[in-house]
Amino acid sequence: GAPTDKLALSDKAPASHPSDPGLQLSISADEAGSIAVGSPITYLQQEIGHVETINFNGSGKKIDIAITIDEKYRHFVLDDSRFYLGSGVNVAGNITDLDIRTESLASIIRGGISLLPSDNPDAKPAAEMQQFKLFASRAKAIVDGHEVVLEFDRVVDLKVGAPVKYFDHVVGSVDKV
């Protein structure tokens, strides 16, 4: 009989190959939000790439997102770059200090990922297939500090978003109670 070709079935969409045009990167996320295949990757609200695939990782507890940065913009992505969910409108602050930040129109409509500009003069260009973490917001990408867990012997009235201060300087915020 004639040889038969076997079709390999996979539960994951294929990502671009490192030799494909552009910079191929991987982003690990706790959730995908409103991101979809084709969602834009933005830098300073300008589209510089797009989402190729979205899959559960091996354990099924995280999301792996494959992205492509257009060749002409690859120099914006450095080895210490930070990506964050750039979908929609973010409102933060209180009655005396309100901060409203919107992403690009494409990101508002289709969901998206934004790249935070790096201020590290020693950073090197990102490597093909380098893996990054996806932060839930621009503020979390900027802070990217260490998590501190506090336990109290009695009930304390703390709310998510409450500032953490050190000598009257805000150094963080409460993420989970």
Side-chain angles (χ1 to χ4, degrees):
T4 58
D5 292 331
K6 292 187 177 182
L7 177 63
L9 297 178
S10 173
D11 60 350
K12 293 185 174 188
S16 292
H17 191 270
S19 65
D20 288 347
L23 175 62
Q24 315 304 318
L25 301 172
S26 175
I27 298 178
S28 176
D30 291 330
E31 59 183 53
S34 59
I35 297 169
V37 171
S39 288
I41 308 300
T42 60
Y43 177 74
L44 302 177
Q45 297 189 341
Q46 298 299 308
E47 190 167 336
I48 63 167
H50 63 278
V51 172
E52 292 279 345
T53 65
I54 301 172
N55 293 300
F56 288 104
N57 73 355
S59 71
K61 296 183 179 178
K62 291 223 179 234
I63 302 290
D64 289 333
I65 303 168
I67 67 170
T68 296
I69 302 296
D70 297 341
E71 191 64 37
K72 64 184 175 181
Y73 301 122
R74 75 184 298 142
H75 63 281
F76 291 132
V77 186
L78 304 175
D79 60 0
D80 69 343
S81 287
R82 296 179 188 149
F83 292 90
Y84 63 94
L85 278 173
S87 306
V89 178
N90 295 312
V91 179
N94 54 42
I95 194 78
T96 59
D97 184 24
L98 189 62
D99 179 26
I100 300 174
R101 179 178 296 273
T102 64
E103 296 299 332
S104 69
L105 184 58
S107 293
I108 291 172
I109 293 170
R110 297 186 290 164
I113 296 173
S114 294
L115 171 64
L116 190 67
S118 176
D119 58 0
N120 180 358
D122 298 324
K124 308 250 183 297
E128 283 287 338
M129 306 306 286
Q130 185 170 337
Q131 185 163 14
F132 293 89
K133 174 182 175 183
L134 182 64
F135 293 91
S137 68
R138 184 174 191 275
K140 288 183 191 274
I142 290 170
V143 173
D144 187 25
H146 298 285
E147 182 176 294
V148 177
V149 177
L150 300 175
E151 294 182 12
F152 299 95
D153 291 335
R154 60 184 174 182
V155 176
V156 177
D157 186 23
L158 283 177
K159 293 184 175 44
V160 171
V164 174
K165 295 182 178 183
Y166 180 74
F167 291 112
D168 286 335
H169 295 283
V170 177
V171 295
S173 63
V174 175
D175 285 338
K176 184 170 47 171
V177 177

